[in-house]
Amino acid sequence: MTTRNELLTVRQVLDELGGVSRRTFYRWREIGKAPKGIRLPNGELRIYRSDLDDWLESLRSAV
């Protein structure tokens, strides 16, 4: 069972988004159109599930 505050890898986020490319995701981050993330001390990016869910909900509300 997953929790709402689970930390997701970029790959997990891309899979949840239906196969969005890594390049597209990082481009969205560059222009401020991606969910918030945190950078771990080893340099890897993680996204809280709650931030991904909130971001997706904001997209639905924008339509």
Side-chain angles (χ1 to χ4, degrees), residues 11-26:
R11 170 58 39 214
Q12 289 172 307
V13 171
L14 297 177
D15 289 345
E16 293 235 0
L17 294 177
V20 169
S21 75
R22 182 175 294 267
R23 180 181 176 111
T24 297
F25 179 76
Y26 279 103

